[in-house]
Amino acid sequence: MPIAIPDNPPCVLCLSAADATGGGGLAADMLTLASMGCHPLPVQTAALVRDTRGIDEVWPTEPELLVTQARAILEDVPVAAFKLGFCGSVENIALIAEILSDYPDAPLVVEPALHAAVLLGDAGEEIAPALADLILPQTTLLVGGYHDLWVLAGMADEEPRAEQYDEEAAFDEAVAELVGDEVLARLLGSGTEFVLLTGSAAHGPQVVNTLFGHEGVVRTDAWPRLPGPFLGAGATLAAAAAAALAHGMELPEAVREAQEFTQQSLRHAYRVGMGRALPDRFFWARGRAGDDV
């Protein structure tokens, strides 16, 4: 279902870390939202010292600066949706949760990007519990791979490891069974409305993404597995879902639209450095809009 672009684009407040590669974080949000006909309102939660190969340092934004900037823009501009990425610190999470509680009618899409928290040492270990306690109860759609979901559910110690299995298929089956039986019950029980489990970390010729709600599986979509790795694929998917919701699409259709956009972006990914490829969020502006997904 194509998105109809209004004369005045819907505004989406995105809170995430600055990424100078343009691949992930706020840059991914802004490029994706703009490409899908929204106006991004970027609020920085941290600064990443990184290149296309990986993250070297994380510098959280001062909580007072974050909340002052977010409040200033929200008092001026009506928002149609929120998109939340890496928050930078527990203090930032608490303040963001307070802000979000004032806008319960605006959908919230969360892509936690917990890989960045590792660089914060002991402070980073508190990021996932804070998200689970303060943000997930307000979340419309949580987007993540099985590892992030396991950590957010407080079950990291029980997460299966690939080396425990003789075959990739057996590992994938064990992950799917445990996520479905235990992890999702905890996440949806926290108040999160929907969870999109991405299959990029699994194996096989297809990436299978599954949308879960309180009644069970809402939809399952399979996509050809593309040669990677990519920088910012998860952020692109989550921001695209926020854009579709901001345009008024129902959530299952918004998730499908976001996947189609992300698949096209990854199909036309390019390398600007020596590391991961960056999704081309403006593939349609380079004469590629007619390509088959």
Side-chain angles (χ1 to χ4, degrees):
M1 173 183 173
I3 290 177
I5 308 300
D7 293 335
N8 193 22
C11 296
V12 178
L13 185 77
C14 41
L15 302 106
S16 193
D19 178 352
T21 69
L26 276 183
D29 294 345
M30 294 172 68
L31 289 168
T32 301
L33 290 166
S35 181
M36 294 188 68
C38 293
H39 178 75
L41 303 169
V43 176
Q44 183 173 324
T45 60
L48 304 181
V49 179
R50 72 161 305 155
D51 58 20
T52 59
R53 293 169 293 191
I55 304 172
D56 296 320
E57 297 178 47
V58 176
W59 293 71
T61 298
E62 286 294 324
E64 184 178 356
L65 174 59
L66 185 156
V67 71
T68 301
Q69 178 59 78
R71 291 291 189 191
I73 197 66
L74 286 167
E75 289 172 3
D76 178 43
V77 181
V79 297
F82 291 89
K83 190 273 179 179
L84 179 61
F86 180 63
C87 295
S89 69
V90 171
E91 293 79 10
N92 287 352
I93 291 172
L95 291 172
I96 290 169
E98 285 186 23
I99 292 169
L100 293 172
S101 67
D102 292 335
Y103 302 88
D105 295 330
L108 167 64
V109 179
V110 175
E111 184 258 334
L114 293 178
H115 58 276
V118 175
L119 294 175
L120 294 173
D122 292 342
E125 296 179 2
E126 301 302 319
I127 295 286
L131 285 171
D133 290 342
L134 301 174
I135 300 296
L136 293 192
Q138 304 185 64
T139 298
T140 307
L141 174 66
L142 172 63
V143 179
Y146 76 86
H147 174 70
D148 277 1
L149 299 190
W150 233 286
V151 174
L152 286 172
M155 299 175 61
D157 293 340
E158 303 174 42
E159 181 182 341
R161 306 293 177 183
E163 58 268 20
Q164 298 171 335
Y165 298 84
D166 295 331
E167 297 180 355
E168 293 177 344
F171 170 67
D172 292 345
E173 183 177 348
V175 168
E177 181 178 350
L178 287 172
V179 168
D181 288 348
E182 300 181 46
V183 174
L184 284 165
R186 293 197 183 190
L187 296 175
L188 293 169
S190 72
T192 300
E193 294 183 42
F194 295 91
V195 176
L196 178 61
L197 171 62
T198 61
S200 58
H203 306 88
Q206 292 184 315
V207 173
V208 179
N209 300 327
T210 307
L211 178 66
F212 296 90
H214 291 279
E215 304 303 319
V217 175
V218 177
R219 69 175 306 138
T220 300
D221 297 286
W223 307 92
R225 187 175 297 277
L226 301 172
F230 304 102
L231 196 167
T236 302
L237 177 59
L245 290 171
H247 282 292
M249 296 185 73
E250 295 297 324
L251 194 136
E253 288 70 34
V255 166
R256 172 71 186 191
E257 184 78 19
Q259 291 179 84
E260 290 180 347
F261 177 89
T262 303
Q263 186 74 2
Q264 285 280 29
S265 298
L266 297 181
R267 283 192 65 212
H268 301 297
Y270 51 83
R271 281 187 167 80
V272 296
M274 295 180 287
R276 298 187 175 201
L278 309 187
D280 185 359
R281 289 102 176 181
F282 280 88
F283 58 86
W284 54 267
R286 288 176 246 280
R288 297 165 171 174
D291 291 354
D292 294 330
V293 176

